[in-house]
């Protein structure tokens, strides 16, 4: 009976993880699976499962969560902060619910399958748009947002995690290599099609990083050369890539690339305001709280942005810091920011010997550098999934059972 409950529990956990990319169209579905996990957890967990928590990165992240809660209770407005703190705490819950799993293979398969289905559905929608409009130009956020099942920023990140999970399954020899290679190829091409900057950047960084982990240097050189050819061809064929990376849609031809980036990239304004707030309006021992940090940013946008339409847009959107490290530092002080930074340093030092785990660390850290992942439940859950793949991977490798 217990074996059947454990099988059902594993299925619910995988379904929870697989449903995360579909938050945009079915945000309540993960909660249904979560209720099932809560109900079954006491019946499937074993005492030895808790040994997995001996990994140091979990202590660091757990320490961060405890610090945030204590800081919130004593120094912040609890009603305002609770929503985001709950999202951060949900990462701990996801990690806790993962400990009865005796291996991570099915989790990796779930990631590959769920992201693959997302890609397939989005390709159908993009194809319909191209046929209907006879246009291949969909770099604009409003258009691409309607066509993709997931926001472009997150979709690109999910594709990278799917690629790394495919490479991990490739090493484990669980699935035929040709299917994994097809999945990797589709994800690479899809990233280039939707012009996801973070994903293209990570593809290049991960390709270069992989060269340090292979003994077949000639084969690696051919792979890098092939990727370079694909990138050049993609930029030549897909005008959206040029618009996203080089701002070729701009009429200000006299401006330098840096000047164009400052004009078109919101993060230049956001991070400038964040630096100003950190220097002049923040008690770096306790921080401002997540929501007061956003209020201060909005005030900065109102003071510093000269163009009326751009200023109105920033104020209406109430942009957060778009950097999780900065967000923690401004919102809960340098101790919280230091916790988060130490976490990634520890992850890199602990798992750098393997390319896949290094890839997970680089991808997650890069994503956190341009996005406040804990402001969205989808982001918090995927942070937890990658954390599980990293921290518990070595434990499961030693105790594998397929």
């Amino acid at each position: 009976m217990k074996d059947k409950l454990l099988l059902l529990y594993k299925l619910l956990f995988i379904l929870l993880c697989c449903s995360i990319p579909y938050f945009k169209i079915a945000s309540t579905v993960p909660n249904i699976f979560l209720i099932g996990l809560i109900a079954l957890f006491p019946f499937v967990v074993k005492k030895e499962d808790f040994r997995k928590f001996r990994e140091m990165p979990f202590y660091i992240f757990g320490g961060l969560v405890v610090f945030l809660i204590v800081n919130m209770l004593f120094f912040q407005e609890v009603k305002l902060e609770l929503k985001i703190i709950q999202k951060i705490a949900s990462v701990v819950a996801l990690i806790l619910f993962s400990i009865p799993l005796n291996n991570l293979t099915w989790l990796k398969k779930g990631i590959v399958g769920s992201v693959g289905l997302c890609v397939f559905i989005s390709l159908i929608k993009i194809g319909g748009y191209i046929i209907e409009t006879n246009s291949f130009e969909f770099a604009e956020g409003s258009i691409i947002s309607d066509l993709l099942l997931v926001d472009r920023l997150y979709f690109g990140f999910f594709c990278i995690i799917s690629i790394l999970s495919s490479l991990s399954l490739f090493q484990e020899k669980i699935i035929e290599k040709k299917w994994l290679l097809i999945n990797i190829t589709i994800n690479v091409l899809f990233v280039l099609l939707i012009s996801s900057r973070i994903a293209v950047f990570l593809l290049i960084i991960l390709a270069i990083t992989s060269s340090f982990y292979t003994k077949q240097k000639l084969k690696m050189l051919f792979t890098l050369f092939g990727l370079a050819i694909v990138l050049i061809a993609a930029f030549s064929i897909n005008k959206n890539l040029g618009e996203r990376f080089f701002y070729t849609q701009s009429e200000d031809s006299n401006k330098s690339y840096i000047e164009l980036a400052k004009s078109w990239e919101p993060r230049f304004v956001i991070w400038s305001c964040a630096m100003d707030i950190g220097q002049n309006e923040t008690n770096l021992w306790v921080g401002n709280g997540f929501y007061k940090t956003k209020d201060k940013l909005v005030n900065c946008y109102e003071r510093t942005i000269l163009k009326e339409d751009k200023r109105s847009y920033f104020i209406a959107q109430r942009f957060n810091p778009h950097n999780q490290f900065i967000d923690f530092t401004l919102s809960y002080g340098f101790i919280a920011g230091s916790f988060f930074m130490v976490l990634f340093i520890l992850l890199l030092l602990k798992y750098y010997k393997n390319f896949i785990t290094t890839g997970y660390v680089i991808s997650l850290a890069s994503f956190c550098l341009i996005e406040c992942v804990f402001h969205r439940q989808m982001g918090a859950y995927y942070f937890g999934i990658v954390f599980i793949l990293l921290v518990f991977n070595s434990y499961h490798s030693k105790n594998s059972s397929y």
Side-chain angles (χ1 to χ4, degrees):
M1 180 65 179
K2 191 169 183 178
D3 289 341
K4 290 181 179 179
L5 285 178
L6 184 58
L7 184 62
L8 176 60
Y9 184 90
K10 290 177 183 178
L11 179 62
L12 287 174
F13 186 86
I14 300 305
L15 287 173
L16 167 63
C17 295
C18 290
S19 67
I20 292 168
Y22 304 91
F23 245 78
K24 195 173 179 179
I25 56 175
S27 59
T28 59
V29 171
N31 295 330
I32 296 171
F33 297 130
L34 192 60
I35 292 168
L37 291 174
I38 293 170
L40 291 175
F41 184 76
F43 301 101
V44 298
V45 71
K46 295 177 288 190
K47 186 177 179 181
E48 53 265 32
D49 290 334
F50 289 95
R51 293 174 185 169
K52 298 171 186 177
F53 287 126
R54 294 176 181 174
E55 297 288 340
M56 183 57 68
F58 179 78
Y59 292 141
I60 299 296
F61 186 73
L64 169 62
V65 175
V66 170
F67 175 80
L68 293 176
I69 293 172
V70 172
N71 187 317
M72 174 187 69
L73 293 174
F74 284 95
F75 301 106
Q76 314 298 343
E77 294 185 34
V78 176
K79 288 183 180 179
L80 292 177
E81 299 298 295
L82 198 57
K83 193 174 181 180
I84 295 178
I85 294 295
Q86 285 175 334
K87 291 183 177 71
I88 299 170
S90 70
V91 176
V92 178
L94 190 68
I95 295 168
L96 176 66
F97 290 137
S98 75
I99 64 172
L101 304 181
N102 54 15
N103 67 70
L104 297 177
T105 301
W106 280 101
L107 176 56
K108 295 169 191 173
K109 288 179 179 178
I111 291 169
V112 170
S114 63
V115 174
L117 182 59
C118 253
V119 169
F120 178 72
I121 296 171
S122 296
L123 282 173
I124 291 174
K125 294 179 73 175
I126 290 171
Y129 172 82
I130 293 171
I131 292 169
E132 183 181 341
T133 63
N134 198 27
S135 170
F136 198 72
E137 296 182 8
F138 44 84
E140 249 184 66
S142 57
I143 299 173
I144 200 70
S145 180
D146 292 334
L147 296 175
L148 300 180
L149 285 186
V150 187
D151 291 347
R152 173 162 46 193
L153 180 68
Y154 280 84
F155 212 153
F157 176 67
F158 292 167
C159 287
I160 294 298
I161 299 304
S162 176
I163 290 170
L164 289 170
S165 297
S166 295
L167 290 171
S168 182
L169 290 168
F170 195 94
Q171 290 180 347
E172 293 173 19
K173 300 178 181 178
I174 302 298
I175 301 174
E176 281 190 55
K177 290 182 178 181
K178 65 178 181 180
W179 299 116
L180 294 171
L181 289 172
I182 289 171
N183 179 67
I184 291 169
T185 303
I186 289 172
N187 276 281
V188 169
L189 294 177
F190 185 74
V191 159
L192 295 172
L193 175 67
I194 66 173
S195 310
S196 173
R197 287 179 295 186
I198 179 62
V200 173
F201 169 78
L202 283 171
L203 281 176
I204 296 169
I205 294 298
L206 292 175
I208 295 171
T209 303
S210 67
S211 65
F212 296 100
Y213 289 85
T214 180
K215 295 177 181 178
Q216 298 176 321
K217 298 299 180 183
L218 186 61
K219 187 178 179 181
M220 193 64 240
L221 281 174
F222 277 114
T223 302
L224 291 173
F225 181 73
L227 179 62
I229 295 295
V230 170
L231 287 172
I232 292 168
F235 274 95
S236 302
I237 296 168
N238 186 2
K239 289 168 61 178
N240 300 313
L241 273 172
E243 292 181 6
R244 294 278 293 161
F245 278 85
F246 304 115
Y247 312 103
T248 54
Q249 76 274 33
S250 175
E251 296 176 357
D252 300 320
S253 57
N254 295 326
K255 288 187 176 181
S256 67
Y257 180 77
I258 298 297
E259 289 173 323
L260 286 172
K262 286 181 178 179
S263 299
W264 286 89
E265 176 51 61
R267 287 175 181 81
F268 273 92
V269 176
I270 294 168
W271 291 341
S272 177
C273 280
M275 291 293 291
D276 181 64
I277 291 167
Q279 291 172 358
N280 303 308
E281 302 180 46
T282 303
N283 179 344
L284 289 175
W285 285 104
V286 297
N288 304 306
F290 291 116
Y291 281 87
K292 284 188 178 178
T293 294
K294 285 180 74 172
D295 289 339
K296 289 177 184 290
L297 283 170
V298 170
N299 291 335
C300 181
Y301 304 150
E302 196 168 1
R303 291 194 315 267
T304 59
I305 301 175
L306 300 178
K307 289 184 178 179
E308 187 176 346
D309 56 341
K310 186 176 182 179
R311 182 170 63 247
S312 299
Y313 173 66
F314 271 65
I315 292 171
Q317 294 295 317
R318 286 181 58 81
F319 285 124
N320 61 47
H322 277 65
N323 180 307
Q324 195 58 67
F325 297 90
I326 293 174
D327 191 35
F328 275 137
T329 303
L330 293 181
S331 302
Y332 279 78
F334 77 92
I335 295 176
S338 298
F339 260 115
F340 201 57
M341 189 174 293
V342 168
L343 173 65
F344 278 99
I345 293 172
L346 182 62
L347 287 172
L348 190 60
L349 291 175
K350 191 173 177 64
Y351 303 114
Y352 77 94
K353 292 182 180 180
N354 179 276
F355 168 67
I356 305 297
T357 51
T358 301
Y360 282 134
V361 175
I362 291 173
S363 300
L364 190 58
S366 299
F367 196 61
C368 288
L369 283 170
I370 62 163
E371 175 70 3
C372 291
V373 295
F374 298 118
H375 282 243
R376 301 178 66 172
Q377 188 62 66
M378 179 172 60
Y381 274 145
Y382 239 82
F383 181 95
I385 288 172
V386 179
F387 191 89
I388 290 165
L389 290 171
L390 273 167
V391 178
F392 292 155
N393 189 63
S394 58
Y395 182 94
H396 288 303
S397 297
K398 295 172 187 175
N399 300 273
S400 60
S401 117
Y402 302 119

